[in-house]
């Protein structure tokens, strides 16, 4: 069964900490995405990558960076965590750029910044 | 701004009832997807529709893409508690480069 695995289900971090969220997919997909999900706001795209070492800003990249050194791994970095970054973070991957076949999501990381 | 509006935002019904949720836009979409998300999990793709007027069935779930490809609906027949979850629609706007546009979701609770 194809999988997107996020390294942590729950994280609690302090304000100002540097936070790393890891995501690995085993489907040899070209495209990987990081979203955050907040009640009433739906899914908002933070960053995505369509190839190794390539990245593109999404709708809300401020306060975040990403790294894709290998095809299967896409990391989201919170440079200096703030309380307004408390959220559910979802990683996804897809094979085709036109998205017709849909995304495969990980189970999410619920991050709390205190 | 291209938006996908889902309605209702919240629906709580008894087991065995039928229901329909909607996903509407003023924009034309080249394809549209429906996902279901259970608490504490990521969304799971249910179906993709690409042709105006297309109808797809997944057991008790029926998905329809509007003729003009601006809207979609999800109809559930004889709802069961296992259908409980957040239903999300997402689409690729016609002429856009790559980004999926997401609706805010319909939270569905089926009471036994």
């Amino acid at each position: 069964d194809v999988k997107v695995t996020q390294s942590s289900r729950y994280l609690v971090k302090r304000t100002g900490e540097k936070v790393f969220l890891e995501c690995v997919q085993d489907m040899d997909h070209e495209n990987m995405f990081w979203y955050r999900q907040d009640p009433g706001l739906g899914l908002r795209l933070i960053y995505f990558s369509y190839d190794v070492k390539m990245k593109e800003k999404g709708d809300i990249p401020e306060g975040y960076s990403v790294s894709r050194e290998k095809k299967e791994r896409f990391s989201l970095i919170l440079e200096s965590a703030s309380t307004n970054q408390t959220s559910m973070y979802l990683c996804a991957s897809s094979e085709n750029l036109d998205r017709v076949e849909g995304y495969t999501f990980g189970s999410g990381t619920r991050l709390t910044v205190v | 701004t291209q938006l996908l509006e889902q309605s209702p935002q919240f629906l709580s019904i008894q087991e065995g009832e039928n229901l329909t949720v909607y996903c509407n836009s003023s924009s034309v979409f080249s394809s549209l997807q429906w996902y279901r998300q259970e608490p504490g999990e990521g969304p799971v793709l249910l179906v993709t529709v690409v042709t105006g007027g297309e109808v797809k069935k997944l057991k008790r779930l029926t998905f329809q893409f509007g003729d003009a490809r601006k809207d979609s609906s999800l109809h559930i027949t004889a709802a069961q508690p296992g259908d409980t979850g957040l239903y999300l629609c997402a689409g690729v706007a016609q002429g856009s480069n790559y980004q999926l546009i997401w609706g805010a979701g319909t939270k569905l609770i089926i009471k036994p």
Side-chain angles (χ1 to χ4, degrees):
Chain A
D1 197 13
V2 294
K3 266 192 167 181
V4 175
T5 303
Q6 294 184 232
S7 55
S8 304
R9 293 297 296 270
Y10 300 94
L11 275 178
V12 180
K13 296 292 182 179
R14 294 193 181 276
T15 300
E17 277 193 77
K18 191 169 186 176
V19 182
F20 293 86
L21 302 183
E22 305 288 345
C23 176
V24 177
Q25 52 100 356
D26 64 1
M27 296 165 285
D28 202 35
H29 282 174
E30 300 289 336
N31 310 303
M32 297 187 75
F33 310 85
W34 275 106
Y35 285 91
R36 63 178 284 177
Q37 184 177 30
D38 301 288
L41 296 178
L43 273 70
R44 293 183 291 167
L45 182 64
I46 304 170
Y47 268 97
F48 71 100
S49 169
Y50 54 88
D51 201 353
V52 175
K53 297 191 185 295
M54 303 301 291
K55 61 184 179 183
E56 293 278 351
K57 293 180 180 179
D59 299 318
I60 52 164
E62 297 77 19
Y64 304 94
S65 62
V66 290
S67 172
R68 192 161 181 208
E69 296 296 319
K70 293 184 178 181
K71 189 176 186 180
E72 66 271 19
R73 186 180 297 270
F74 192 35
S75 303
L76 179 69
I77 303 151
L78 286 65
E79 298 292 343
S80 177
S82 63
T83 54
N84 64 11
Q85 292 178 310
T86 291
S87 187
M88 174 72 139
Y89 288 88
L90 292 164
C91 175
S93 72
S94 76
E95 183 174 7
N96 292 323
L97 206 56
D98 63 4
R99 312 290 189 268
V100 172
E101 295 168 358
Y103 288 9
T104 302
F105 281 88
S107 296
T109 296
R110 185 163 293 282
L111 173 67
T112 302
V113 182
V114 298
Chain B
T1 303
Q2 297 159 330
L3 293 174
L4 274 173
E5 296 184 358
Q6 288 191 242
S7 61
Q9 291 183 349
F10 180 78
L11 186 59
S12 179
I13 62 172
Q14 293 294 138
E15 181 176 3
E17 293 184 16
N18 302 330
L19 66 108
T20 302
V21 299
Y22 300 91
C23 179
N24 295 310
S25 178
S26 57
S27 300
V28 176
F29 287 82
S30 56
S31 67
L32 199 138
Q33 301 161 10
W34 285 92
Y35 294 78
R36 179 169 65 215
Q37 183 179 20
E38 298 184 9
E41 297 294 332
V44 175
L45 180 69
L46 296 174
V47 76
T48 300
V49 286
V50 296
T51 305
E54 183 175 4
V55 177
K56 282 192 173 179
K57 293 194 173 185
L58 188 65
K59 297 184 180 178
R60 294 174 293 98
L61 279 61
T62 301
F63 304 85
Q64 185 162 9
F65 201 13
D67 291 339
R69 292 184 288 137
K70 293 183 178 182
D71 55 83
S72 182
S73 64
L74 158 59
H75 182 79
I76 302 179
T77 304
Q80 298 179 1
D83 296 327
T84 293
L86 178 68
Y87 288 80
L88 295 160
C89 66
V92 179
Q94 190 174 50
S96 73
N97 42 10
Y98 39 69
Q99 284 198 31
L100 267 184
I101 297 168
W102 291 84
T106 293
K107 188 171 183 179
L108 176 64
I109 296 176
I110 310 299
K111 295 177 284 188

